[in-house]
Amino acid sequence: MALKSLDDLFVHFLRDMHNAEQQVLAALPAMSDSAAGELRKTLDDHRDETEQQIANLERVFEMLGVEPDGVNCTAIDGILAEGRAIIAEAEQRDAREAGLIAAAQAIEHYEITRYGTLFAWATELGKPEAAKLLRANLEQEYAADRKLTDLAGRTLNREAA
Ligand SMILES: [Fe+2]
Ligand SMILES: [Fe+2]
């Protein structure tokens, strides 16, 4: 699709995120399997949130009357590949946990940047209902990131002890 207008870019980025969220949904169980305790629960909870986020995106596509498919998010593909490599290589528990948290935060930060842009564009394009749904997704990503920052602090403190 040629990107001629902000409307076109908006749809392109929405499709990019729809694909990214599906990749994240598929990747989270393996990340959770290699985690324990609170980190595992955080990843499992975020899997449920990811399903809601996909549903929110699909509501936005319905509102716009466009299909959700057609864009492959190569950025999240790379971030997830890096995460898999960390899990595969980290042998010791604390190192694996720190690596998993870092990988998960890279995912959250990517999602935050894209939802931040999509929210701003929805507002700019005069689509308040879409903006509200995108804002809800953005808030969940921020909350997940804060939770991971908190867990990272505790993991590092435990390692230092
Ligand atoms: Fe997400
Ligand atoms: Fe997320």
Side-chain angles (χ1 to χ4, degrees), residues 17 20-22 24-25 28 46 49-51 53-54 57 107-108 111-112 115 137-138 140-141:
M17 274 316 288
E21 292 289 12
Q22 283 173 320
V24 170
L25 188 68
L28 278 170
H46 202 51
E49 288 180 339
T50 299
E51 282 184 336
Q53 292 170 5
I54 291 171
L57 285 171
I107 298 169
E108 297 318 311
E111 293 177 310
I112 287 167
Y115 281 129
N137 285 10
L138 178 60
Q140 278 185 337
E141 310 297 16

Side-chain angles (χ1 to χ4, degrees), residues 38 57 61-62 71 100 111 114 117:
E38 222 177 320
L57 285 171
F61 287 111
E62 265 176 48
V71 176
L100 261 175
E111 293 177 310
R114 283 297 155 97
T117 297

Side-chain angles (χ1 to χ4, degrees), residues 79-148:
I79 290 169
L80 292 174
E82 218 176 69
R84 280 193 298 275
I86 291 166
I87 298 166
E89 283 167 39
E91 286 165 15
Q92 191 251 349
R93 188 190 150 197
D94 280 350
R96 188 173 59 237
E97 200 167 304
L100 261 175
I101 293 171
Q105 284 197 285
I107 298 169
E108 297 318 311
H109 287 203
Y110 178 74
E111 293 177 310
I112 287 167
T113 187
R114 283 297 155 97
Y115 281 129
T117 297
L118 283 166
F119 169 72
W121 286 354
T123 306
E124 177 69 29
L125 292 167
K127 301 181 193 302
E129 288 303 308
K132 205 171 138 194
L133 290 163
L134 294 164
R135 178 68 185 254
N137 285 10
L138 178 60
E139 292 300 331
Q140 278 185 337
E141 310 297 16
Y142 271 129
D145 184 50
R146 278 194 299 269
K147 177 87 210 212
L148 290 163

